[in-house]
Amino acid sequence: MNVLRAIYNFIFELGDTALLFLKALYWSFRPPYRWRELFKQMEKFGVSSVSVVFITSLFTGMVLALETYTGLKKFNAESVIGSIVAVSMFRELGPVLTALVVTGRAGSAMAAELGTMRVTEQIDAMYTMAVDPIHYLVVPRLITGVTMLPVLTVISDLLGVIGGYFVSIVLLKINSHTYIRQMLNHTDLHDLYSGLVKAAVFGLLISLICCYKGLSTKGGAEGVGRSTTQAVVISSVVVLVADYFLTAFMF
Amino acid sequence: MVEETVIQVINLYKSFGKQQVLKGVSFSVKKGELFYIIGKSGEGKSVLLKHIVGLITPDKGKVLIEGMDIHQATGVDALKLRRKIGMVFQYGALFDSMTVYENIAFPLREHFSLSEKEIAEIVKEKLALVELEGIERKMPSELSGGMRKRVALARALALNPGILLYDEPTTGLDPLLTEEIDNLIKDTRDKTGVTSVVVSHDIWSVIKFADRVAYLANGRIEFIGTPEEMLETDNQMLKRFICARLEDKLMTSLFNACRSRGSCTS
């Protein structure tokens, strides 16, 4: 019985989330366009995550260079470290790492904020003032997710490459000229674009899940905690699952 | 003058899961009336109020606002209809990311394209109406519970609604503050002529100012009438609700004193 119940709940929530997305889509093309609200969200989402993205990406690039070096040294192929670091950052690690970091930083904040607004009846109040909460709250957050996650991913890609370069050139004494030439030879724009498409999809999924969990919060402060945790866990899992399917379909 | 009916609740049914909360509630409220809905906690008073504003959709039955079904209206009609109704929530429900000024300006900004000067004037006027001035720059978290309710009222008044709904406005306040909020509800009605529906379980608020009162129990309206009629009721449950632990006669004299002064504390 419990299994059936869980399946029922899963399908119910999936449908509810899809419905929220469709409603938000409908509202996003209708005036008034709240630019102020949108930029406020973008600032919150982007600026709050940038420092964490900075550090995680830098060190990921560095460790990537270090790890591949030990493996490649056996074949005297150290010079391709640059291309390995760049391709893995652009295609995989940049978008996925950024998505996970942003889920923890901005997604949780989103779910907690909307959840608190729900349990303190602020969302009901908005509705009674004839302002649609999906229009006012969800639409700017979804647009923010879709646009800001690729921006953060570009930063992440860049820092990963810088981290890899630093370790290779300064610590491992690889020739800078060959490193960069190898990197440019084996990386093309398609690697970058595919990563950015992924990032946009992840951004949408994270915002959607966190908004849904926030809006459907029930039961006071405890409920806010519960839905925030769920939002982060579900978003992280969904990002990784979606990553596989996006990769499978895009290449 | 024929009294015009603005709110009509017709045969409302609602259940949550297995629990039936409303089992055929019907009543109507006239224009400019100060109408109280009383009943024990957990009897579905707030649920009923949320049906009137359209926040909850009934299983059966309908709510007519000036003749229009609020649950059937869609798109622009629904927005127009909702703008006629202001609601004051139990804990104020102020946007805590905005200042008091921004809170009251919020519905104005959303619905009208006014200049900043005009908005500032309206905000000032609404704050004066609830006797709070000079707190525009404060955040809701810096206000006391009573002040927050006043600001919530000012915000609900910003769109000049014809109907105001109050969800348990005096619950959890001390007697003096209760009196203050009760007076405010009456003053607001007197000043603006707004039709007011108040959900409460405070019997004294009803005795002081109510034009009419409805008693909600067992998912139905068990009594509806003036406060004077309420005192003469044969309904045993309502009688117990009113008198609590007081003697009948004592209650009558208290009633008269309270009613004539418009106050229970002075």
Side-chain angles (χ1 to χ4, degrees), chain B residues 59-73:
Chain B
D59 298 338
K60 225 171 91 185
K62 49 188 172 178
V63 175
L64 304 181
I65 304 295
E66 291 175 3
M68 300 238 294
D69 189 337
I70 191 152
H71 300 290
Q72 295 298 321

Side-chain angles (χ1 to χ4, degrees), chain B residues 23-52:
Chain B
K23 303 173 204 162
V25 172
S26 303
F27 64 91
S28 53
V29 182
K30 298 185 203 105
K31 196 177 169 69
E33 208 172 18
L34 184 47
F35 188 90
Y36 273 76
I37 300 171
I38 55 168
K40 281 188 296 193
S41 304
E43 283 279 7
K45 303 189 297 288
S46 294
V47 170
L48 177 57
L49 206 64
K50 283 179 181 167
H51 274 95
I52 297 176

